[in-house]
């Protein structure tokens, strides 16, 4: 034991307590006391201390949300108590009957708690001695799928229960809804579309899909949230009502809804329902009705449940956001990434309180599969605030239909010959097609890319449409006089914009890569590419095979990336940018690059670190961490249950290190793991 130990241990404890406290303030109280940056500083300090003292890492540390293990199936998990579903209807009369039934059984003095009905994926989360031990999907109500590792990645889910205001029970099973906010859902779909992948139909599918990932790192990248609304089982259970349960859940550290109300009056419930229905589109999360629950838990036991649903709860649903209308015309529309989307102009129709007059038909294959033509009668649907979708064609026997819709062979915006990429149609003229350029310009200057203050969506559009910017590089040649002539600009604001562009021209590789809008490349992948290749030239020269060596880059992604950099016009744009306009800071050699030039592959489970941590550690010291073994590999570190990679290493004669040997190797190089 070294002399430093006690202080590191104390500091680690202190940091964990602080981080948990700030998690609670952020996710439960909705009242953070420190900035995201200050939070990151605490988090990074904890991570680095834990990296230095792996023996002090505990599973409930805030750094241990994302493990490195990939599963091949979800284990079955029996619930602590049945997860029943709710009886529901959308007619007010059915709600009145529910109320009358209960009054008849229990007398007139009953009261209810009314909550929004969240439209996500229902989960059970179980705590023993205050620690999260397992989590499951609803499944058939009795047995669900074990998704513990995925639920752990949700930042709003406490890994340990708080006992500060109220002692947490020794055993606690809670039920809640895992969701993706409407805003995050729209962003996610934008990213999927940018990567030319199918968007999710609604936030519920996105959340449920995020939960059911065999690789928890994929779940961790989904912006999953949770709201907890029910105690499924607890020992001891010292709450008597639902109102008290919501309070207790909040005190134990769970996010709960702040929209629950208590009432004993059906008319008040109907007003609440109407009010939420009217505000549906302004809420953070998608909801599809309200849930009415008996407040008194003892009375719940008295009325019991049928085999499917409890008699003490009821869902009063909203009318569905689906309507039938007619397609007037179909036209192709070009987005920021060049994807040409067929859009249907509709006879305007009210959809859940909003008038809808256009809907996306997604791509060539979707139009063909649904066989939607001009003049057809169609069913349209809206989820959250997203662009409405055409669900299906409504048959009209005997009516003569129009011609099949065909995607154009040339870009409707710039006339370039379009490419077919899977089901998608793409304009390859990334930086010269004006429909793409405005969007790309805005993206280039966005916060996580070059961060050009004042280059908003509107300004980007004006710059392109007023002819000031014909190519991305023109941005850096803008002069104050020219900008001043744009609508909405004066001397000062034009000067500010030009200065902001100058200031942003010194940038980092990861930001530059992100800003280029390479298909599939988001913030995380841009960082991974930068860490791996170190220079823009190396990224541009990388083959598909080399790209798949980057941890986290799959073969489909690699093809898209290589395709982008292989495109002559894209390369010309990048060269123009680098020709005295943008300056990418060389990636700093950290420390003395103790592992410079080495290529290391990790396989199987490690004890001291997650695979990701080990990869980051060697990268920090100048090595490449790759995901597959080749004769260029210097070392393969073999953990438990290592599979084919270790076999391949043996076949190729690559040195294999056990975890212990790897740690010794690091120490030998002067790196304290
Ligand atoms: S109470 C047995 N409260 O709606 C009743 N459920 O169609 C326990 N849901 O799968 C559930 N919001 O996951 C309750 N505030 C809320 C809810 C809610 C959404 C879900 C629940 C269930 C579905 C029933």
């Amino acid at each position: 034991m070294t002399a430093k130990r006690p202080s590191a241990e104390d500091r680690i404890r202190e940091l964990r307590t602080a981080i948990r406290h700030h998690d609670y303030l952020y996710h439960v109280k909705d009242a953070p006391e420190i900035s995201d940056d200050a939070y990151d500083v605490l988090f990074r300090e904890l991570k680095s201390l834990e990296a230095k003292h792996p023996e002090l890492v505990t599973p409930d540390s805030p750094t241990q949300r994302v493990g490195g293990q990939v599963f091949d199936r979800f284990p079955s998990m029996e619930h602590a108590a049945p997860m029943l579903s709710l009886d529901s209807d959308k007619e007010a009369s059915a709600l009145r009957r529910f109320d009358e039934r209960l009054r008849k059984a229990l007398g007139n003095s009953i009261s209810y708690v009314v909550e929004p009905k969240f439209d996500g994926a229902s989960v059970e989360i179980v705590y023993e001695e205050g620690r999260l031990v397992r989590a499951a999907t609803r499944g058939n109500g009795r047995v669900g799928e074990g998704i513990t590792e995925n639920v752990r990645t949700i930042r709003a889910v406490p890994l340990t229960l708080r006992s500060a205001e109220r002692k947490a029970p020794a055993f606690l099973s809670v039920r809640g809804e895992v969701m993706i906010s409407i805003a995050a859902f729209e962003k996610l779909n934008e990213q999927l579309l940018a990567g030319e992948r199918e968007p999710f139909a609604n936030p519920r599918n996105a959340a449920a899909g995020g939960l059911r990932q065999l690789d928890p790192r994929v779940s961790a990248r989904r912006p999953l949230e949770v709201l907890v609304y029910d105690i499924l089982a607890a020992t001891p259970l010292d709450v008597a009502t639902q109102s008290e349960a919501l309070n207790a859940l909040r005190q134990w550290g769970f996010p709960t809804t702040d929209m629950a109300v208590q009432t004993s009056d059906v008319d008040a419930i109907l007003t609440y329902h109407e009010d939420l229905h009217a505000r549906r589109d302004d809420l953070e999360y998608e909801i599809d009705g309200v849930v009415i629950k008996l407040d008194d838990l003892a009375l719940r036991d008295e009325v019991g449940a049928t085999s499917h649903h409890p008699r003490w709860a009821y869902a009063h649903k909203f009318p569905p956001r689906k309507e039938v209308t007619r397609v007037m015309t179909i036209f192709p529309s070009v987005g920021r990434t060049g994807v040409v989307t067929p859009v249907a102009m509709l006879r305007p129709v009210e959809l859940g309180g909003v008038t809808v007059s256009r809907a996306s038909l997604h791509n060539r294959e979707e139009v063909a599969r649904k066989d939607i033509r001009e003049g057809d009668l169609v069913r349209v649907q809206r989820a959250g605030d997203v662009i409405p979708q055409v669900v299906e064609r409504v048959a009209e026997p005997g009516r003569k239909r129009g011609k099949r819709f065909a995607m154009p062979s040339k870009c409707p915006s710039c006339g370039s010959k379009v490419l077919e990429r899977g089901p998608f149609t793409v304009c390859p003229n990334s930086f010269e097609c004006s429909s793409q350029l405005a969007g790309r310009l805005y993206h280039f200057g966005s916060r996580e890319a070059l961060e050009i203050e004042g280059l908003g969506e509107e300004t980007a559009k004006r710059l392109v449409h007023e002819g000031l910017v014909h190519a991305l590089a023109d941005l850096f040649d803008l002069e104050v006089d020219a900008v001043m002539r744009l609508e909405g600009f004066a001397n000062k604001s034009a000067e500010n914009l030009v200065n902001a562009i100058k200031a942003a021209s010194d940038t980092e590789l990861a930001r530059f890569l992100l800003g280029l809008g390479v298909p599939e490349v988001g913030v995380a992948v841009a960082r991974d590419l930068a860490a791996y290749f170190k220079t823009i030239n190396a990224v541009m020269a990388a083959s598909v095979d080399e790209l798949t060596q980057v941890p986290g880059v799959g073969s489909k992604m690699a093809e898209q990336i290589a395709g982008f950099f292989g495109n002559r016009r894209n390369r010309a744009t990048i060269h123009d940018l680098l020709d005295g306009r943008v300056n990418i800071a060389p990636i700093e050699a950290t420390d003395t690059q103790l592992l410079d030039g080495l290529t290391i592959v990790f396989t199987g489970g490690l004890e001291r670190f997650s695979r990701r941590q080990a990869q980051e550690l060697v990268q920090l010291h100048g090595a490449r961490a790759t995901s597959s073994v080749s004769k260029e590999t210097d070392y393969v570190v073999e953990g438990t249950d290592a599979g084919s990679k270790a076999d391949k290493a043996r076949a190729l004669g690559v040195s294999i290190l056990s975890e212990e040997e790897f740690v010794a190797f690091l120490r030998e190089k002067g790196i304290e793991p």
Side-chain angles (χ1 to χ4, degrees):
M1 300 280 126
T2 62
K4 277 198 315 208
R5 176 66 52 81
S7 75
E9 200 169 350
D10 287 350
R11 182 63 187 152
I12 284 178
R13 193 176 313 118
E14 219 170 83
L15 285 166
R16 286 181 188 160
T17 307
I19 289 170
R20 282 183 194 128
H21 176 66
H22 292 301
D23 281 343
Y24 170 73
L25 291 177
Y26 184 91
H27 293 288
V28 181
K29 290 283 190 186
D30 203 10
E33 282 174 2
I34 59 172
S35 68
D36 291 358
D37 287 342
Y39 179 92
D40 286 344
V41 168
L42 295 176
F43 205 90
R44 275 203 300 270
E45 185 185 347
L46 177 60
K47 260 187 113 165
S48 91
L49 270 179
E50 288 182 342
K52 284 197 200 111
H53 302 272
E55 71 284 3
L56 297 178
V57 177
T58 56
D60 62 353
S61 170
T63 60
Q64 301 302 302
R65 287 193 177 269
V66 192
Q69 209 179 337
V70 178
F71 298 83
D72 53 11
R73 57 177 200 97
F74 300 109
S76 297
M77 232 173 237
E78 195 169 334
H79 299 306
M83 289 177 79
L84 301 172
S85 60
L86 285 170
D87 193 8
S88 70
D89 200 298
K90 54 183 192 306
E91 299 304 329
S93 56
L95 170 69
R96 290 190 190 278
R97 282 199 299 277
F98 164 78
D99 175 58
E100 278 156 22
R101 266 199 311 276
L102 283 182
R103 283 181 199 278
K104 214 159 153 194
L106 301 170
N108 236 334
S109 57
I110 51 176
S111 83
Y112 302 107
V113 167
V114 192
E115 303 165 8
K117 184 173 180 313
F118 301 102
D119 199 6
S122 193
V123 291
E124 179 200 23
I125 315 176
V126 180
Y127 293 79
E128 283 169 13
E129 304 304 336
R131 295 205 152 69
L132 193 164
V133 288
R134 59 176 188 270
T137 63
R138 179 167 174 276
N140 64 12
R142 196 179 56 79
V143 179
E145 289 178 311
I147 45 161
T148 314
E149 297 305 315
N150 297 348
V151 168
R152 286 176 62 94
T153 68
I154 305 172
R155 296 281 283 267
V157 170
L159 296 178
T160 58
L161 298 178
R162 291 164 43 87
S163 278
E165 294 97 340
R166 180 188 198 111
K167 193 166 169 14
F171 176 87
L172 177 68
S173 157
V174 300
R175 177 173 181 171
E177 206 77 1
V178 168
M179 292 176 291
I180 284 186
S181 72
I182 295 172
F185 163 71
E186 287 173 356
K187 209 168 139 199
L188 178 65
N189 266 357
E190 259 176 43
Q191 286 167 357
L192 286 172
L193 284 167
E196 289 165 30
R197 282 180 293 169
E198 271 308 296
F200 287 105
N202 52 49
R204 177 176 13 89
N205 289 3
L211 269 186
R212 293 189 76 268
Q213 292 291 334
L214 289 164
D215 184 348
R217 287 169 303 188
V218 179
S219 299
R221 285 202 292 268
R222 291 281 163 78
L224 298 174
E225 300 282 343
V226 73
L227 285 178
V228 170
Y229 46 68
D230 192 34
I231 298 178
L232 263 182
T235 353
L237 175 64
D238 62 353
V239 298
T241 62
Q242 172 69 5
S243 322
E244 216 189 314
L246 286 175
N247 241 328
L249 287 166
R250 209 166 294 141
Q251 289 171 325
W252 293 330
F254 297 102
T256 56
T257 175
D258 56 4
M259 290 192 282
V261 297
Q262 196 193 19
T263 179
S264 46
D265 176 16
V266 201
D267 290 317
I269 298 175
L270 289 171
T271 311
Y272 177 87
H273 178 270
E274 259 172 51
D275 173 52
L276 278 193
H277 188 214
R279 288 166 48 207
R280 187 178 188 183
D281 283 334
D282 304 323
L283 301 178
E284 197 177 346
Y285 298 106
E286 178 77 344
I287 67 174
D288 60 346
V290 305
V291 182
I292 301 98
K293 305 172 181 179
L294 260 186
D295 196 14
D296 189 320
L297 303 188
L299 292 184
R300 290 186 180 184
D301 290 339
E302 232 172 90
V303 291
T306 71
S307 60
H308 298 295
H309 51 254
R311 293 198 183 85
W312 46 263
Y314 183 79
H316 185 18
K317 303 245 275 183
F318 293 152
R321 302 207 253 203
K322 266 189 201 162
E323 286 297 342
V324 169
T325 188
R326 200 170 290 283
V327 175
M328 320 279 280
T329 56
I330 303 177
F331 68 91
S333 155
V334 189
R336 161 171 79 81
T337 58
V339 175
V340 186
T341 306
V343 175
M345 293 306 290
L346 307 167
R347 192 165 62 210
V349 62
E350 250 307 281
L351 218 55
V354 175
T355 306
V356 164
S357 56
R358 52 194 277 163
S360 167
L361 292 168
H362 293 310
N363 58 50
R364 191 181 62 249
E365 278 181 12
E366 281 289 294
V367 198
R369 190 176 64 78
K370 293 179 182 159
D371 188 17
I372 309 286
R373 307 182 193 181
E374 292 187 349
D376 281 353
L377 204 56
V378 290
R379 201 177 312 283
V380 284
Q381 151 182 304
R382 216 162 55 87
D385 253 342
V386 282
I387 313 161
Q389 304 169 3
V390 175
V391 186
E392 60 187 357
R393 183 166 70 83
V394 180
E396 293 174 285
R399 191 184 141 267
K400 190 167 177 318
R401 298 181 63 206
K403 279 205 312 281
R404 263 183 185 276
F405 175 76
M407 286 297 268
S409 57
K410 290 195 173 136
C411 171
S413 171
C414 71
S416 298
K417 200 168 160 357
V418 296
L419 305 177
E420 287 189 1
R421 215 179 282 150
F424 294 93
T425 305
V426 184
C427 165
N429 192 8
S430 314
F431 295 101
E432 285 156 42
C433 171
S434 67
S435 286
Q436 291 189 58
L437 185 58
R440 286 188 180 272
L441 200 58
Y442 167 63
H443 179 74
F444 192 64
S446 63
R447 201 167 60 87
E448 316 221 66
L450 264 68
E451 202 172 13
I452 303 175
E453 198 154 334
L455 184 59
E457 214 163 350
E458 240 350 274
T459 301
K461 266 192 204 150
R462 290 211 180 111
L463 286 171
V464 172
H465 295 305
E466 300 292 319
L468 267 62
V469 170
H470 300 280
L472 206 51
D474 293 347
L475 188 62
F476 297 91
D477 305 335
L478 281 176
E479 281 170 9
V480 178
D481 282 354
V483 178
M484 249 176 77
R485 286 196 293 274
L486 281 188
E487 196 191 315
F489 276 89
N491 193 349
K492 188 79 201 139
S493 48
E495 217 174 280
N496 286 347
L497 180 62
V498 170
N499 287 339
I501 295 169
K502 290 247 149 55
S505 64
D506 278 315
T507 190
E508 295 154 15
L509 182 54
R511 286 178 175 274
F512 185 73
L513 286 172
L514 180 73
L516 288 176
V518 185
E520 302 270 353
V521 177
V523 179
V525 177
R527 285 199 192 130
D528 290 346
L529 289 172
Y532 188 90
F533 289 107
K534 310 260 192 308
T535 68
I536 181 68
N537 288 334
V539 181
M540 290 173 74
S543 65
V544 172
D545 274 354
E546 280 174 291
L547 285 162
T548 52
Q549 292 293 314
V550 180
V553 175
S555 60
K556 229 184 119 196
M557 206 189 264
E559 270 169 35
Q560 300 254 23
I561 298 171
F564 180 90
F565 288 110
N567 177 303
R568 190 176 42 82
R569 289 193 274 203
N570 294 349
R571 296 177 74 88
T573 295
I574 297 169
H575 285 131
D576 285 346
L577 285 170
L578 297 176
D579 184 15
R581 296 184 174 93
V582 174
N583 179 26
I584 302 175
I587 293 194
E588 266 184 42
T590 44
D591 289 348
T592 35
Q593 294 295 313
L594 300 162
L595 304 180
D596 206 9
L598 293 180
T599 301
I600 303 177
V601 174
F602 294 90
T603 174
L606 302 176
E607 256 174 34
R608 268 175 177 255
F609 351 63
S610 72
R611 200 143 66 206
R612 179 100 202 173
Q613 285 171 339
Q615 288 168 342
E616 282 176 2
L617 180 65
V618 299
Q619 279 175 351
L620 181 72
H621 294 283
R624 286 183 170 197
T626 66
S627 51
S628 68
V629 179
S630 72
K631 46 185 193 326
E632 263 74 64
T633 310
D634 294 292
Y635 294 101
V636 170
V637 179
E638 185 180 22
T640 50
D641 295 325
S644 60
K645 288 183 196 175
D647 300 338
K648 187 161 179 202
R650 284 191 187 91
L652 291 173
V654 174
S655 308
I656 298 182
L657 301 178
S658 68
E659 181 171 355
E660 243 171 56
E661 287 165 337
F662 170 61
V663 169
F665 165 80
L666 290 177
R667 292 224 165 93
E668 219 170 82
K669 294 272 178 189
I671 299 165
E672 194 50 37

